[in-house]
Amino acid sequence: MAASERNGVTMPASVRPGPPLWLLFELTYRCPLQCVFCYNPVDFARLDQELATDEWLRVLHEARALGSVQLGLSGGEPLTRDDLEEITAEAHSLGFYTNLITSGVGLTQARLERLRTAGLDHIQLSFQDSTREMNDFLSHTRTFDLKRRVAGWIKALDYPMVLNCVIHRLNIDHIDKIIEMAVEMGAEYLELANAQYYSWAHLNRDALLPSRAQLQAAEETTNRWRDRLQGRMRILFVVPDYYEERPKRCMNGWGSTFMTVTPDGTALPCHTARMLPGLEFPNVRTSSVREIWYDSEGFNRFRGFGWMKEPCASCPEREKDFGGCRCQAYLLANDAAAADPVCSKSPFHHVVTEAVERAQQSRPVEKPLVFRHKEESLTRSDPALIRDS
Amino acid sequence: MSATDIRDSDSPAIARGFRLQWEPAQSAHVLLYPEGMVKLNGSAGEILRRCDGVATLAEIVSDLEGAFSRSGLRADVVAFLTLAAERGWVAFRGRDEQAGAIGDGGE
């Protein structure tokens, strides 16, 4: 089959995507935390028309019929939705593998048991840091003790204990303690993911981007623990894109695998794509998942290779990384169709190297940290205000 | 685990945290695990769907040989189960129930 016909537009077979295997529900932007690295849109507070339960359930049915298999339940803090159990139960009965991505704030043992009964398959618990002071500073709430308790409940219900800790300049030097704590809690898997610089993390980038020396020390510490643990707890260490020479294969290719549905029903090819200008993204309130996935301009815009400019268009690595991340290209090169400036071939790579060079200086941060809270969000409606340059 | 480790009396089961199901959209069995999926080829799917923690290796082999009118499948089944155990997809009841590693689903 050479091509498929949709709405009169002929798409080459190579562009015609498979099903949206991975579905992420950002159920709400409400969150008790105020993390300085949050990837929710900086103007989230203006987007407060959350989908109703029956709308989420309809999206589950439509996506599953297309072949979606993985469901992430995230936010904001998904536990602030009191229909989380109902959505989980429906997803489970439809055959989704259900993943809850939570800070644990708002969870009780009884609620976790209800989620288990509803068929929740997996929980990823996020920590900001292992030291209470730093945790409270970074998340702005006193949640550390709660998370310890939640971790105990997760283990007691025989879920794999999976911890995620976002790493950045202000906590990376505590990585030894973070790993030690994860071991003490009986974690089987620890994700030490450096913040990537979008949304709130981008606003706070100069305060959050670690130095090269910090990264090296953290990786050495991580490797020492890996040797010592002999596989008893697996550790994934993710470096910031800014320290790479080639961009990531973002979302496994735009519109190839992944669909996010935001609290207000906007469907996106990635968590942060809403920031891209000149692109209309469809809404599940007015379009079916099938129309969204196969026919919408927003999902088709960066599929395949036809949209690429140089240096991507003729790059031998274009099938490997698809030109990297469209949001990073927009934030750093002011052009969503440009090469991801993380790539050393990008004419805007200097924007990345300059940020990295600034991160090598030990200096007090000039700008105060911007915490993700509603009042702050309401002052930031114009995405142009958050770009570099 | 090496091939010689699996005995006829062992009963393989899908490991904790993994789920096997048939996907009409992909016309294949898939193995789901946290944030990942392995699409299985036909024979892998046929073997894994018999791994219920009750049937022994000998019973699985004999069931497969009956279903596909073939003989001499034992070596292939053992080879696949060895690989599946290495990747953490299956565990052997009563032997290594803790073996299911998270996030280790292979490609």
Side-chain angles (χ1 to χ4, degrees), chain A residues 157-355:
Chain A
L157 285 178
D158 200 32
Y159 280 112
M161 182 65 239
V162 176
L163 279 176
N164 175 287
C165 188
V166 176
I167 301 298
H168 46 73
R169 189 180 185 93
L170 302 173
N171 69 3
I172 193 166
D173 297 331
H174 302 275
I175 214 154
D176 188 59
K177 278 241 99 75
I178 293 170
I179 298 173
E180 188 185 341
M181 179 199 68
V183 171
E184 267 174 36
M185 288 188 339
E188 282 152 74
Y189 187 67
L190 173 64
E191 207 172 285
L192 299 169
N194 265 276
Q196 304 294 353
Y197 295 96
Y198 303 97
S199 304
W200 297 87
H202 184 253
L203 278 178
N204 290 309
R205 188 182 62 196
D206 281 351
L208 297 182
L209 187 62
S211 71
R212 196 170 279 116
Q214 282 182 305
L215 271 174
Q216 272 167 7
E219 289 206 74
E220 282 164 21
T221 302
T222 303
N223 285 331
R224 267 202 309 279
W225 275 100
R226 283 177 178 144
D227 288 346
R228 192 186 319 173
L229 292 167
Q230 298 276 323
R232 270 188 293 130
M233 180 179 83
R234 297 179 57 239
I235 310 177
L236 177 71
F237 187 91
V238 183
V239 302
D241 291 356
Y242 283 43
Y243 281 90
E244 303 280 9
E245 289 294 308
R246 284 290 179 271
K248 64 191 164 204
R249 182 183 171 92
C250 197
M251 309 320 288
N252 195 38
W254 178 278
S256 80
T257 312
F258 189 88
M259 179 187 290
T260 295
V261 183
T262 64
D264 69 353
T266 305
L268 301 172
C270 81
H271 320 29
T272 52
R274 198 203 295 254
M275 74 169 82
L276 301 177
L279 263 183
E280 282 289 318
F281 289 107
N283 193 293
V284 298
R285 286 187 163 121
T286 49
S287 303
S288 71
V289 174
R290 176 177 290 279
E291 289 165 339
I292 289 168
W293 184 251
Y294 290 110
D295 301 337
S296 70
E297 205 265 333
F299 276 79
N300 281 323
R301 180 71 183 82
F302 297 113
R303 278 183 173 140
F305 304 99
W307 56 272
M308 284 182 172
K309 301 175 175 179
E310 293 299 341
C312 296
S314 63
C315 182
E317 294 170 65
R318 69 179 198 169
E319 294 186 33
K320 199 167 117 195
D321 56 36
F322 297 109
C325 170
R326 300 303 87 227
C327 300
Q328 206 143 256
Y330 170 62
L331 284 170
L332 304 182
N334 194 18
D335 177 3
D340 185 337
V342 160
C343 185
S344 59
K345 296 181 181 180
S346 159
F348 291 90
H349 186 56
H350 63 92
V351 179
V352 172
T353 52
E354 283 159 17

Side-chain angles (χ1 to χ4, degrees), chain A residues 41-61:
Chain A
V42 291
D43 59 349
F44 74 87
R46 291 165 190 270
L47 310 163
D48 57 359
Q49 298 291 312
E50 288 183 15
L51 293 182
T53 309
D54 60 341
E55 292 173 303
W56 288 116
L57 298 186
R58 179 175 53 77
V59 176
L60 283 177
H61 280 258

